[in-house]
Structures are given as structure tokens and as C-alpha cells.
Amino acid sequence: MHDRTALIEMRIERFVRERLAPAVYRARQPLDIQAWEAPGEPVTFAEARDAAYRPFAIGTPWGRAWGTTWFAVSGEIPAAWRDAAGALPEGTVAELVIDLGFTAGQSGFQCEALVWNREGAPIKGVSPFNNASPAAVDADGRVDVLVEAASNPDVGSLFTFEPTPVGDPATAGDAPLYVLREMSIGLRDLAVWNLLQDFRLLHGLIAELDATSARRATLVEAMDAAIDAVDPEDVAGTAQAGRDVLAPLMAAPAAPSAHVLHAVGHAHIDSAWLWPVRETARKVSRTFSNVLSLMDEDPEFVFASSSAQQFAWMKEHYPALWERLKARVAEGRFVPVGGMWVESDTNMVGGEAMARQFVEGKSFFLEEFGIDTEEVWLPDSFGYSGALPQIMKAAGARWFLTQKISWNETNRIPHHTFRWEGIDGSRIFTHFPPVDKYNSEVTAADLAHAERNFADKGRARTSLLPYGFGDGGGGPTREMTATIARTHSLEGAPVVKHSTPREFFETAEAEYADPAVWAGELYLEFHRGTYTSQLRTKQGNRRSEHLLREAELWAATATVRTGAAYPADAFQRLWRLVLLQQFHDILPGTSIAWVHRDAERNYEAIATELEQIIADSLRALVGEGDRTLLVNAAPHARAGAPALGIAAAPGARDVTPRAEGSGFVLDNGIVHAVIDARGLLISLVDVVSGREVVPAGQVAGLFEVFRDTPTQWDAWDIDETYRRHATPLDTADAVRIDADAVVVERSIGESTIVTRVALAAGARTVRLSLDVDWHEQQKLLKLGVPVDVHTDRAASEIQFGHIVRPTHTNTSWDSARFETAAHRWVRVAEPDFGVAVTNDSTYGHDITRHERDGGGTFSLVRLSIIRSAMFPDPGQDQGAHHLEVGIVVGADVLDAVAEGYRTNLPARVVTDAGEDSVAPLVAIDAPGVVVEAVKLAQDGSGDVVVRLYEALGERTQARLEAGFDVARVSETDLLERDVDAAAVTAVQGGVVDLELRPFQLVTVRLSR
């Protein structure tokens, strides 16, 4: 037989384009339109309902950047569409059809709208690929709705990464962005629409099948015959005939060995990104309205949504929508997942904050719906900390889902279903959907890719398919669910079934009882610049985390010691705001200027309120008098003040530098530091051992500026090619002694860097206080510390412990890990000597090994200080910044941990105190066991909750002693629910014996 496949495919494409798609609506009737533009930020429905509207015509421009235009839309179904009883023709439905002037950009990155009825209840959202809405027709056939249209600018959906002014309302302009194209009522023909879905699926399937397969040839011929069955002059009247031709092919079952896809409706909505946080709440309302409307149409459809914050917005701002949502949650079709407050970053979020993501998220879902979410749903974060498995398990999670690792530039994780092992040995059942996206459109191409790509064939045959338009695109569409209905068993395609995350995970665990294990972090070989972008946002987060720790500690102490009121509501509100801003496009620094300026203002307000709580708590504790006290919220004693306590102790004094030759010397008997005339550290000696830190021919404290022009995502990426273009700042504008510090002034371009180098008496840390006034763009500033140790690995602090990474490039995995994240410290060491580098502000590091003069190698630790990308915020990181960096000479891991806390949690001095000391609420006798949090219980009982962890990576025994009368001791999960003891071995009154494995995280509840 002659092969006519190519010609038939051309015929199919034209038939769909020119006949089927235009015939979906038998007719359309324009509606009357009036408009009112909200003068500033979005307004309530009540305000919009009562506003003064003006006539508005199709073809009229509308919508300034970030504005809101309300359209009052009214009319009626034409009498010609209805029979004498007022009924529409069989097989048709009337619905609103709206085109706001959608552009060629992606859904979710441009104008969107929410349709409201006149009673103030949302009906459905409108977006480019989901622009029909129920018509809300009354008994007389009339339509009367309000359409809240958001003229969000397209900041960069085509991802050309060009600087744009529209990310800041101050520079976005007032010109209308869109032209209204349609607001009508359409008569949709269900037979034509269904034939269109048949054609799209089968045509897509043809493209995926082998060219020599019988199934493909059969499909091609049948579709050709179906076109013949449809009269081009009467598509509506003959569409069913076309469907009848295809019916036998649609009924052919899938192969028994076909891959099984559990389709879970989803809408990944970034809690901020190329739009502000306030717009995210509206995006969620539109998407949830779409989802609830689709549930009314399709009884099989199931939708899963993460981020308790997004549910909380609905409860607060959209009560009618909230009630509909709760009903669907109760029946199991609208499924809360994830258990976190937001889908946060996991590389930079601190340990206690990571725990609180689950505490607040899971608590919200438990309180509102009675659901204990056991799956962690985090598809889009930029890499996953090795501490996460333990934290998830401590929150009661059983399963983990992510997707982003499929973006790796170099290496491919060899599994899609596996057990992930964290730094403490905890393992959690994990799945990467092999469709390689978290917003599938359920095309034949997506389904085929998932089946082909699945890495665990032979041992398993099940994967999860998250589908739906995200970021305000409306989530799943009826076209997507129509494809699922057609592929429940279809020859040539994998089996697709509506499912829930729980059903998928239970099925996957049952069929794959002994999956492979991946140990350690899930490092994303991409988006490495997120550890450094938007320094002020990162500083605000770091400072907020430590202030919250302090405030909870002193407030709890004040409550127990004096009966002062514990500000639980304020703490929850402030924690939730901090958690929101840990979202994976806010903390990583990848949002528009608006988002980061909002975050900076929020952090200022958070700091102000927490400082007041701390001041009030301390005053309640120390009273009024003439004493001066040192307040130590850190988990290690310092300057005579006990850990977590207050004592009359002098603060540390910095040694006075002295000039020597052309340079300067700092010496406290522990560390001897020499600074040359260029302001560079040419020698750092550990006095007791005589070890020199700075390798021969090298200098420490050297700033380097690199060209920073990544191939793709500006604020997200650092490409390895940056290393080819280094400018060392090895000359100084001035070097001088100022009080107890050596001050070094440098400049590059329009920017200046002032460094104060100081050394405290009795300390082994050389402190570098940096004041950077930055006005460069597309430049990366790094600070280098070469260390004369021969090692092939470096330790970096992460949540509740540290991770050891190779510094060599033996494998492609090692080579791709050229920029890494650490929290407060990194350390390189030989068995008997090490050096740590601490920081108070940023997270990006590169740690490499180099040939040493005289033989062997030395390690180079470089801290990424600042970046200046131009997309999506062309003003990123411009202006003044202050950072603290420490070089800890002769540091073991305990020294690194303690100095990391000292740098980030400085002691306070309280004057005019009446007491001479305040004993800690709790004390621990093992220095490697760190008390991370002391707080009162979430349930308001007044119980004291202590969170601690083993920080050195060693098995250890410790004794926790309460400084108050204790009635009961229990070990709990993160949500403070009793669990079987894993660390508590004995209890006697307020004394608790503990046995901890390396990096174990423990929560202990002490009932007063």
C-alpha cells in the first residue's frame, strides 16, 4: 500500500485548525460591557460593586501595569438559541467566553481575571488557555457578572532575561498593556468539542508511536476516515459520526505491561516571583475557582494543592470560595499536600525555621481540615538539603516528591523512585515524576516521555503525573481531564488514572518494597547563584531567624521565672511572615524588585517587634537597678555568661593592632596575624602549635571580582565560566589603624569596600567586618581565604549538622558542584588542624584545592559576597551592605559551630539591672549537643519545649537539666506530639539522660 501518512497528517492539522476548532461554539452573542479602573491597589468586591462604571467597547485598550479593571458584564441568551420552553439545544451548553487581550506569552505571566456573581461569590478564573466560565444565567436567561481583571505585565515569560522596568511599580509606567477582544456568551457544542479532544489525543499519539507500528497505521487511516465522516458544511450535525468512526480505536485497551501514571491535578503557584505577594493571593483565588468549577463538571477529577499559606489567604479574603473548598476537601477531591507553610527553599532556610515550615503547615491543615499531611510536596525548590529527610520524618512525613533535579545540567539522578537518606541516616520514600515537569498539559508527548524516561523499569511501573497550568494559569483544564478519561486504557499509550498523592505513594511502596538508596543532599546542578543573589533579603532572613530564637528563649524564660505573659500569637504571626519569605523565589533572590523591597520592609518590621519583645522579656527578668549584665542567647558559654543565660560578666576586648615594618600585626597570644601594606593577610599563625594558615606565596582576605554573565537565568545562575575572568583587588586606597582594628579601604569602578580587621582577646577568630557600597552590574564579588591544609573535602554547616563534600573534581558529579551552599560556617582540615570561615549574611561558597609551593596541596575557601544580576531586578544588590566574616584559626568542628553562633547571635549588654544573673531554663552537659530552640508549647499549656541536635557527627551521651520544677518529660515530634523515645534513655525529675546518634534531632517536652 502506498504510504500516505504525511499527507493525511497535513489533512488532520488543517481539519482541526479550520473546521473543528472554529465549530466548538455554534454561536456567540456579545454582551454589554462597562468598566471601572481601581485607582490604586486591588479593592474588595463590595467596593468594586458600588463603583461608578462607564461604557466600554471591545477593541479598547485597558490596564496599566499591575492595575485592576473591573468589568460589569450583562446580557441574555438569545431567544433564537432556545426552544419554546426556554431550553438550549440538546448537546450544547451556554458559557461566558472572555479574551482580555491575551498575548503570545505563557499562561500565568500576563493578564488574568476572576468572574464574580452579583452576590459576591467567585465563579471561575479566566486565563489564556482557560478562558470560558459558567454563565451564571438566571431563570430569565440573563447574565449579570463582574469580572475582576488584573493587568499584570509580562515580566519575562519568554525568558530572554532582558532587564525590564516593569518589576517595580515606580518604573512600570501607566500606559495600557492590553486590548479587550471578547466578552460574549457562547453556545458550546459538546459533540464537536469531544471530537476535537479525540483528534488532539490521537494525533499526538501518532507522533509518539514507531513509524512501522500497526497501531500507528491504523490510527492514521481511521482519522482520515473520520474526517470524511464530518460534513465541513455541517460540522455540528456530523461530529458524532466522526466520533463513531474513532470509537473502536478509542476502545482498544492498553498493553498489560503499560506504564501506569497516577494523574494528580495541580497548579504550581509561586508564592511570589515575577509578581508581588499580594497578586499571588489573587492568582490562587482564580485557580481554586477554576478547580472547583471543573469538579462540578467532572466527578472523577482530583486536585492537590500545597502551601498552607495559600489556603490561609483564601480563608481570610474569599469566604464564599473557602466554604466551597472545604466541602471538596471533606469529600477527598481537593487534597491539601506538602505539610509546609510554603514551598520553601531548603538550602538556606535555618534548621529551626525548616522545622517551623512543617509545624505551621501541618498544624494549619490539621486545625482546618483534620488532615495530617504525610507527603512532602516540593517540586520546584533549587536543590534539597541533606538534613531534610530527618526533618520531614520528625514532622510525621512518610513520602517526598520533587521534580527540579530533572533540570540538572550535567548529571542525571539514576532513579525516579528511591529512598533518600539524610545526614543522620533517616530515610524517606521519594519520587521524581519521570514526566520531567510539574505542570504537564497531559499531551500524548508528555505521557510517552514519562513512560520512556522512567528509570526504574523492570522493578516498578508506576509514576505520578502532576498536571495543570501553574502560576495563575488556572490549573487543570477540561481538555486535560478529557485526555485522562480517554487514556484510562488506550492501546499505544500508558495507563492514566485520576489519583491522589497518597494513593500513588501507597501503590508505589507496595510494588517497589526495596528501592535503591540515594545518600546525602540532592544537589541541583543549576541555579547556583541563588545562594548569593539579593543580599539584603538573605540578611533579613538570617537576622529574623536568630531574633526569633532569642525572643522565644527570653520570653519563655520570663514566663517561667516571673509569670510574664508569653506572646504566642505574635510569635506565630511573625514566624509565618518569615516562613512566607523563605519561599523558593524570595529567599533565593530571584523575584522582581517589588517582592524584595516588600521583603526588606517586612524584615525591618519583624526586627522592630522582636527587639521590643526581647527588651520587655529581659527587663522582666533582670528588673531595675545599677548592674550591667551580659545576655547570652547562644548555645555555648561566652565571656563568663552561661549558654542560654545571663550573668555579670565583662565583654570580650579587642587587642590593639601595632604597626610593624610596612604592615600591621594583631596578636592575642593565641593567633598571630600579619597584614601587609596592601591590607592583605600574609600570615595567620596558631601560636600554640606554630601552624601557619596562609600557604607560601598566597594571601588571605583577597577580594576578587568576576564577570558574571550566565548563559541563562541571570539572578539564578553562576556558570563555571565566571572563573575565567578574575580581577584581584590586591591594592588598597588606604590601610590604617583605627582604635582596635586595621582598616582597609578599596575601590573598583564606582564601588568601595571597607574592611575592619580585628582580633578579640582570648579568641582564635580574626574578624573581618565588611562595608560594601556596590554599584557594579553583572559582577560577582568573592572573598578568598587560602588554608595550608592538604585535604580533599570540606565540611559545610546545614540544618542541624553539617555535610562533607569533595573538593576535588574526580567525577562529573564533583566537577558540577563548583558552587555550594553553607549556613554559618565552612571548615577545611587535616586530622590535627583545621580552619573555619564563618559569616553572618550569605550562603554561596566555592572550596577548591590547589598545588602548593614545596609539594602537596592547599585549600582555597572563597565566600561569595555579592552579585549584581539585571534580571528580573535590574537594581539587584546596588547600594550599601554590611557583612561579618570570621577566620577561625586551629578550629575543630566544635569551634566552628560555636563561632558560627557567635557571629550570628551576638551577646547583648543590659544596663540598669536589678538582678546579678538569670539562670538558664535548661542546660546541657555535652558541648557537641546544641540547644537550637527553647520555647513554650504550641498548645498554650505552658510546657517548655526544647529542640536540640548532635552537631559534631558523633555518637554521644548527654544530660539535659531543667532549671525549674518538672512534672513530666516526653520526647515528641516537631508538632510536639508524644512519640516513642528514640534519644531519651532516663528521666529523674528535671534531669533527662540522652543518647544521640550523629546529627540526631530531638524535641523534648518538659511539663511544669
Side-chain angles (χ1 to χ4, degrees):
M1 184 175 72
H2 298 298
D3 185 0
R4 300 172 53 251
T5 301
L7 289 173
I8 294 173
E9 287 199 78
M10 291 173 61
R11 189 183 188 212
I12 292 168
E13 290 169 2
R14 187 167 186 182
F15 174 70
V16 169
R17 183 178 64 251
E18 296 185 2
R19 301 297 178 185
L20 267 189
V24 165
Y25 290 101
R26 292 189 183 181
R28 303 191 197 205
Q29 175 68 32
L31 297 167
D32 294 328
I33 308 168
Q34 293 187 311
W36 173 70
E37 184 175 6
E41 282 291 277
V43 301
T44 65
F45 171 83
E47 185 175 345
R49 179 194 58 206
D50 298 335
Y53 286 75
R54 58 180 174 81
F56 200 89
I58 296 297
T60 302
W62 70 279
R64 70 183 189 281
W66 306 113
T68 302
T69 302
W70 288 77
F71 295 101
V73 183
S74 60
E76 62 181 60
I77 297 177
W81 295 5
R82 297 180 287 176
D83 61 18
L88 295 172
E90 185 177 355
T92 66
V93 62
E95 58 190 21
L96 292 176
V97 182
I98 297 174
D99 186 341
L100 299 171
F102 300 124
T103 70
Q106 299 181 48
S107 182
F109 296 82
Q110 53 173 293
C111 55
E112 304 163 15
L114 180 62
V115 181
W116 299 75
N117 67 22
R118 280 288 179 171
E119 287 69 48
I123 299 173
K124 188 177 178 297
V126 172
S127 52
F129 307 114
N130 197 348
N131 67 329
S133 169
V137 179
D138 66 16
D140 298 323
R142 288 198 54 80
V143 176
D144 190 4
V145 298
L146 291 179
V147 178
E148 180 189 9
S151 47
N152 299 332
D154 188 337
V155 175
S157 71
L158 299 179
F159 302 119
T160 55
F161 313 112
E162 297 168 357
T164 173
V166 299
D168 186 335
T171 57
D174 294 325
L177 300 181
Y178 300 100
V179 175
L180 188 66
R181 290 201 191 103
E182 181 174 13
M183 281 193 180
S184 62
I185 190 160
L187 188 64
R188 181 160 65 101
D189 188 294
L190 300 182
V192 175
W193 182 84
N194 276 298
L195 180 60
L196 179 61
Q197 309 318 307
D198 295 343
F199 259 72
R200 285 178 172 163
L201 171 60
L202 295 179
H203 192 204
L205 188 56
I206 286 170
E208 301 304 321
L209 293 171
D210 186 275
T212 62
S213 75
R215 173 64 167 170
R216 183 176 188 273
T218 303
L219 289 177
V220 169
E221 292 298 326
M223 294 184 76
D224 193 34
I227 294 173
D228 288 340
V230 177
D231 183 349
E233 303 298 324
D234 185 16
V235 176
T238 56
Q240 188 56 49
R243 296 205 74 202
D244 292 343
V245 171
L246 298 177
L249 285 85
M250 302 294 292
S257 60
H259 189 70
V260 179
L261 287 160
H262 284 240
V264 178
H266 183 50
H268 176 79
I269 304 178
D270 289 304
S271 291
W273 181 25
L274 303 180
W275 48 85
V277 168
R278 66 89 159 148
E279 191 58 28
T280 307
R282 299 207 297 175
K283 285 177 176 285
V284 174
S285 74
R286 298 168 199 137
T287 295
F288 284 10
S289 297
N290 284 341
V291 166
L292 294 168
S293 178
L294 186 55
M295 286 181 178
D296 293 340
E297 295 181 24
D298 188 337
E300 301 297 317
F301 168 55
V302 176
F303 180 78
S305 185
S306 70
S307 302
Q309 171 68 87
Q310 297 184 1
F311 285 79
W313 283 329
M314 297 305 98
K315 180 181 180 182
E316 180 180 1
H317 300 299
Y318 299 90
L321 184 62
W322 176 250
E323 292 303 317
R324 291 172 62 197
L325 185 156
K326 286 199 300 182
R328 293 301 190 186
V329 170
E331 68 180 27
R333 294 179 61 201
F334 199 118
V335 184
V337 294
M340 299 173 70
W341 189 248
V342 296
E343 290 185 14
S344 76
D345 172 79
T346 76
N347 286 312
M348 295 170 284
V349 174
E352 185 61 21
M354 197 79 253
R356 299 299 178 95
Q357 285 285 350
F358 291 97
V359 170
E360 292 300 329
K362 288 176 70 77
S363 295
F364 182 90
F365 290 142
L366 279 165
E367 291 165 8
E368 298 296 337
F369 307 123
I371 294 174
D372 188 358
T373 50
E374 293 187 296
E375 62 287 294
V376 178
W377 185 278
L378 198 56
D380 188 33
S381 199
F382 307 144
Y384 304 91
S385 164
L388 202 53
Q390 177 178 204
I391 298 170
M392 291 189 287
K393 294 201 79 168
R398 295 172 57 188
W399 308 299
F400 176 57
L401 178 138
T402 184
Q403 181 68 68
K404 202 67 171 189
I405 300 298
S406 68
W407 287 38
N408 272 6
E409 290 178 314
T410 305
N411 298 285
R412 183 172 183 259
I413 298 286
H415 317 290
H416 282 105
T417 301
F418 58 99
R419 296 183 77 197
W420 179 24
E421 180 182 301
I423 59 172
D424 77 311
S426 296
R427 293 179 176 180
I428 193 160
F429 192 87
T430 298
H431 181 66
F432 293 167
V435 70
D436 280 348
K437 57 179 68 172
Y438 42 80
N439 51 4
S440 170
E441 296 175 32
V442 202
T443 62
D446 281 357
L447 305 183
H449 176 77
E451 183 166 39
R452 285 193 300 264
N453 190 43
F454 186 56
D456 302 286
K457 297 183 185 75
R459 301 187 69 188
R461 59 185 287 250
T462 305
S463 69
L464 190 139
L465 179 75
Y467 71 95
F469 292 115
D471 285 332
T477 66
R478 58 194 179 199
E479 289 78 12
M480 296 174 192
T481 60
T483 299
I484 295 169
R486 287 160 171 77
T487 52
H488 67 279
S489 181
L490 179 66
E491 184 183 356
V495 172
V496 187
K497 55 178 290 186
H498 288 290
S499 188
T500 66
R502 172 176 290 275
E503 182 183 351
F504 161 74
F505 276 113
E506 288 178 342
T507 301
E509 274 191 314
E511 77 166 10
Y512 200 5
D514 188 25
V517 175
W518 180 274
E521 68 183 331
L522 292 167
Y523 176 85
L524 179 64
E525 297 173 355
F526 204 32
H527 292 357
R528 303 166 183 90
T530 57
Y531 315 145
T532 307
S533 289
Q534 295 287 1
L535 177 57
R536 292 185 189 89
T537 297
K538 289 173 169 56
Q539 289 179 317
N541 175 74
R542 181 82 69 88
R543 183 68 177 136
S544 296
E545 289 179 343
H546 289 82
L547 281 172
L548 279 161
R549 170 204 172 87
E550 280 194 90
E552 287 185 334
L553 169 66
W554 300 129
T557 305
T559 298
V560 174
R561 296 274 185 254
T562 74
Y566 187 77
D569 291 343
F571 282 143
Q572 183 179 69
R573 173 173 47 79
L574 294 171
W575 264 116
R576 286 181 172 184
L577 182 53
V578 171
L579 298 177
L580 166 61
Q581 296 188 162
Q582 291 173 339
F583 177 73
H584 66 253
D585 276 308
I586 303 179
L587 179 53
T590 52
S591 291
I592 57 174
W594 190 345
V595 173
H596 291 290
R597 303 310 162 260
D598 279 353
E600 291 159 21
R601 284 189 291 270
N602 288 338
Y603 287 132
E604 289 178 6
I606 289 165
T608 298
E609 188 167 354
L610 288 174
E611 289 286 2
Q612 188 61 57
I613 291 173
I614 292 169
D616 292 345
S617 299
L618 292 176
R619 186 54 62 187
L621 285 166
V622 304
E624 300 284 350
D626 57 2
R627 294 182 175 91
T628 298
L629 301 180
L630 191 70
V631 178
N632 179 23
H636 306 94
R638 60 173 68 154
L644 314 176
I646 303 172
R653 179 180 59 82
D654 288 344
V655 300
T656 301
R658 69 176 187 267
E660 188 171 283
S662 62
F664 306 88
V665 171
L666 290 163
D667 192 324
N668 63 359
I670 298 172
V671 175
H672 180 86
V674 180
I675 302 167
D676 69 6
R678 301 170 297 171
L680 299 171
L681 286 158
I682 59 172
S683 177
L684 279 173
V685 176
D686 178 70
V687 174
V688 172
S689 69
R691 284 288 298 259
E692 170 65 71
V693 170
V694 181
Q698 302 295 315
V699 293
L702 176 66
F703 290 97
E704 292 178 280
V705 176
F706 299 86
R707 184 188 301 174
D708 188 17
T709 53
T711 301
Q712 297 184 72
W713 301 75
D714 285 27
W716 291 255
D717 289 349
I718 290 177
D719 290 356
E720 192 174 16
T721 54
Y722 84 86
R723 290 176 171 170
R724 302 173 188 173
H725 306 281
T727 301
L729 304 187
D730 53 7
T731 60
D733 299 334
V735 184
R736 67 183 189 278
I737 294 176
D738 179 22
D740 292 339
V742 176
V743 177
V744 185
E745 298 177 4
R746 306 186 192 280
S747 59
I748 178 173
E750 300 299 317
S751 304
T752 60
I753 305 169
V754 178
T755 306
R756 294 181 63 88
V757 186
L759 178 65
R764 58 178 58 252
T765 301
V766 176
R767 303 196 318 275
L768 308 179
S769 298
L770 313 180
D771 286 291
V772 182
D773 189 13
W774 193 248
H775 299 283
E776 311 310 300
Q777 291 189 312
Q778 295 186 308
K779 296 289 191 294
L780 167 63
L781 179 67
K782 281 181 171 277
L783 174 64
V785 180
V787 180
D788 197 4
V789 296
H790 173 63
T791 182
D792 61 357
R793 66 198 65 188
S796 299
E797 189 190 35
I798 60 174
Q799 301 93 342
F800 303 121
H802 61 267
I803 193 165
V804 176
R805 302 180 178 108
T807 57
H808 58 66
T809 55
N810 282 0
T811 71
S812 60
W813 298 89
D814 303 326
S815 181
R817 204 181 294 109
F818 60 82
E819 182 85 2
T820 56
H823 287 196
R824 292 168 290 215
W825 58 267
V826 299
R827 177 178 178 267
V828 289
E830 293 173 359
D832 62 343
F833 184 80
V835 172
V837 178
T838 65
N839 77 89
D840 76 335
S841 294
T842 187
Y843 301 86
H845 297 76
D846 73 295
I847 306 174
T848 51
R849 58 205 303 265
H850 302 268
E851 191 171 4
R852 176 183 180 273
D853 290 347
T857 67
F858 70 87
S859 297
L860 176 60
V861 176
R862 287 194 303 205
L863 179 62
S864 297
I865 300 296
I866 203 165
R867 298 186 66 218
S868 40
M870 298 181 69
F871 178 85
D873 174 11
Q876 174 184 316
D877 287 328
Q878 301 297 294
H881 310 270
H882 178 82
L883 306 88
E884 293 286 333
V885 175
I887 305 172
V888 192
V889 177
D892 57 20
V893 175
L894 181 59
D895 293 325
V897 172
E899 185 61 23
Y901 276 101
R902 190 211 63 76
T903 304
N904 287 269
L905 205 60
R908 296 173 180 269
V909 174
V910 175
T911 58
D912 304 323
E915 301 291 332
D916 58 8
S917 65
V918 177
L921 273 190
V922 294
I924 195 90
D925 69 350
V929 177
V930 173
V931 174
E932 179 68 6
V934 178
K935 58 186 286 292
L936 295 193
Q938 296 288 108
D939 61 8
S941 63
D943 292 354
V944 175
V945 172
V946 180
R947 190 128 45 234
L948 53 85
Y949 67 99
E950 197 290 313
L952 308 185
E954 301 173 356
R955 191 173 298 276
T956 190
Q957 293 179 338
R959 174 162 288 179
L960 176 71
E961 187 168 354
F964 56 93
D965 292 338
V966 174
R968 178 178 179 269
V969 175
S970 61
E971 194 170 331
T972 76
D973 66 5
L974 294 182
L975 275 72
E976 300 165 14
R977 302 173 295 195
D978 286 0
V979 296
D980 292 338
V984 174
T985 58
V987 176
Q988 184 172 357
V991 178
V992 184
D993 289 336
L994 301 163
E995 186 170 321
L996 292 90
R997 65 179 183 271
F999 301 129
Q1000 185 173 358
L1001 170 64
V1002 179
T1003 304
V1004 177
R1005 182 172 184 143
L1006 307 169
S1007 299
R1008 291 192 282 148

